[in-house]
Amino acid sequence: MPRDLVTQYFEAYAASFDLHPRFGETVRQVRRDDGHWLVEATSTCLRSHHIVIATGNNAEPIVPDIAGLGTFRGKVLHSADYANAVPFAGQSVLVIGMGNTGAEIALDLAEAGAHPTISVRSGVHIVPRELFGVPIQLVGMLATKVLPQRANDRLFPIVLDLALGNLEKHGIRRPKQGLLEQIATASRIPVIDVGTVRAISSGAIKVAPDVRRIMQTGALFNDGTEVELDTVILATGYRPSYPKFLQADVQPVRGGVNERASALRLYLIGFHNPVTGLLREISREAMRVADDIMAVERKSHR
Ligand SMILES: Cc1cc2nc3c(=O)[nH]c(=O)nc-3n(C[C@H](O)[C@H](O)[C@H](O)COP(=O)(O)OP(=O)(O)OC[C@H]3O[C@@H](n4cnc5c(N)ncnc54)[C@H](O)[C@@H]3O)c2cc1C
């Protein structure tokens, strides 16, 4: 969807529900104060009955401690600072990490005439965006309804090999943990392939194992191979930012609502990432949270 349409949609949405967002305000602290929540932001302070924190699962860039990174003479940036591939055309670029971000950046680089190498530390589950014409999230929803997790985790690799081909010959292994097990226990979603696999198969993107150390002009990998580099992009993930500003001991709960959230009038939305996709989950959580707020309000006015 083009950017302008997204903007128009948000503007129409805000107008339709009479919402008044305050832009350019960073929330610095949220704390309990005399039965209310006190929100301190850049230029304002608000008291509120209810708080919904939706600051994103991908809020704070994680920068790992990689041996030798400080000695590298080229450019180092986190994926959070990556806008497009134009500055990297013709360059040798190492993308560290093959989550969805790393996979898509490597593809973007390859399409723009850069020479990306993607470093894959441990195994990775990769799924196509559509499986035999059906969107993968829908496949996930149907599969989890019909079969238990273990059966799905045995079946998926067979089906995915048919759809994407065997990726081991390109240096991409599957983790020991099954696809659904990994989502359930580690909240790790698979890479949704939008063309990276094809680019890897054609050699437009090279795959390397874990980085042993970064050197002045290149990288040394765990298998002893080396590559000369102009740029290193850390696609090493993000963490939520709310622990920094929220002065309350709460954790996200599945579905967005539980007794504690109701009692505190504090809700966290968008931090639980199931196989069916975060966007779908967010809309479900949002509706539950809105219903709960209405119910709490009704009770308190009785
Ligand atoms: C490469 C990639 C591919 C993805 N593909 C899919 C997909 O196919 N399907 C899917 O369901 N999901 C997908 N996701 C996940 C998707 O990005 C999320 O589902 C969605 O964007 C999260 O929305 P959100 O509103 O919770 O968080 P965000 O979009 O991160 O919004 C959080 C907002 O809070 C603001 N904020 C943060 N801290 C503060 C603060 N202290 N004060 C004020 N404001 C603050 C931020 O500026 C931001 O505007 C993908 C993500 C990535 C990175």
Side-chain angles (χ1 to χ4, degrees):
M1 182 169 303
R3 177 185 179 278
D4 288 348
L5 275 184
V6 176
T7 312
Q8 279 170 29
Y9 170 75
F10 282 136
E11 281 168 356
Y13 189 95
S16 156
F17 290 99
D18 197 23
L19 303 171
H20 302 276
R22 299 190 191 187
F23 296 110
E25 292 285 345
T26 298
V27 171
R28 309 255 186 245
Q29 197 181 63
V30 174
R31 66 183 157 89
R32 238 18 212 166
D33 183 56
D34 200 16
H36 285 77
W37 287 103
L38 192 68
V39 180
E40 286 174 25
T42 314
S43 69
T44 187
C45 201
L46 293 170
R47 286 166 73 79
S48 168
H49 285 291
H50 302 270
I51 295 276
V52 180
I53 295 180
T55 45
N57 220 8
N58 303 316
E60 297 254 314
I62 296 174
V63 178
D65 194 10
I66 296 172
L69 194 60
T71 66
F72 184 57
R73 289 207 195 124
K75 192 175 165 63
V76 179
L77 69 155
H78 192 275
S79 59
D81 300 313
Y82 177 93
N84 60 60
V86 173
F88 310 105
Q91 289 192 8
S92 172
V93 184
L94 176 63
V95 179
I96 300 183
M98 191 173 182
N100 279 287
T101 305
E104 289 192 26
I105 287 179
L107 178 62
D108 198 35
L109 290 165
E111 286 175 347
H115 309 289
T117 300
I118 188 161
S119 163
V120 190
R121 181 172 53 179
S122 44
V124 58
H125 286 293
I126 305 180
V127 298
R129 189 154 55 174
E130 290 184 349
L131 196 57
F132 310 120
V134 182
I136 194 70
Q137 277 95 353
L138 197 57
V139 174
M141 267 154 57
L142 294 174
T144 46
K145 271 196 184 143
V146 178
L147 288 173
Q149 176 182 301
R150 261 206 205 158
N152 271 318
D153 275 346
R154 277 202 209 116
L155 193 64
F156 267 131
I158 301 165
V159 178
L160 291 172
D161 278 354
L162 280 175
L164 293 171
N166 186 338
L167 302 177
E168 283 210 12
K169 63 176 182 238
H170 300 298
I172 298 179
R173 289 174 291 111
R174 282 204 178 89
K176 281 202 186 95
Q177 259 190 334
L179 194 153
L180 295 181
E181 190 191 351
Q182 204 175 54
I183 297 172
T185 59
S187 281
R188 256 190 100 176
I189 54 162
V191 169
I192 299 173
D193 178 48
V194 293
T196 309
V197 166
R198 202 173 358 102
I200 288 172
S201 308
S202 74
I205 299 173
K206 302 262 183 300
V207 176
D210 199 8
V211 174
R212 188 179 298 166
R213 64 177 297 111
I214 299 289
M215 298 165 302
Q216 287 185 353
T217 58
L220 169 66
F221 299 103
N222 265 351
D223 62 357
T225 56
E226 291 183 17
V227 65
E228 288 285 306
L229 294 170
D230 301 297
T231 297
V232 174
I233 298 178
L234 304 169
T236 41
Y238 302 82
R239 62 170 72 91
S241 61
Y242 68 82
K244 276 196 169 165
F245 62 77
L246 177 60
Q247 308 284 302
D249 182 21
V250 286
Q251 302 298 327
V253 291
R254 204 173 176 168
V257 177
N258 66 0
E259 265 179 38
R260 184 141 191 268
S262 292
L264 284 173
R265 302 177 176 202
L266 171 80
Y267 307 86
L268 293 143
I269 287 187
F271 301 101
H272 173 67
N273 203 352
V275 66
T276 45
L278 194 51
L279 290 174
R280 177 175 180 271
E281 193 66 11
I282 287 169
S283 74
R284 289 156 66 96
E285 290 177 346
M287 285 186 276
R288 283 195 203 121
V289 166
D291 285 346
D292 199 66
I293 291 174
M294 297 297 285
V296 172
E297 280 291 295
R298 269 199 299 272
K299 244 192 241 165
S300 67
H301 285 116
R302 243 186 241 152

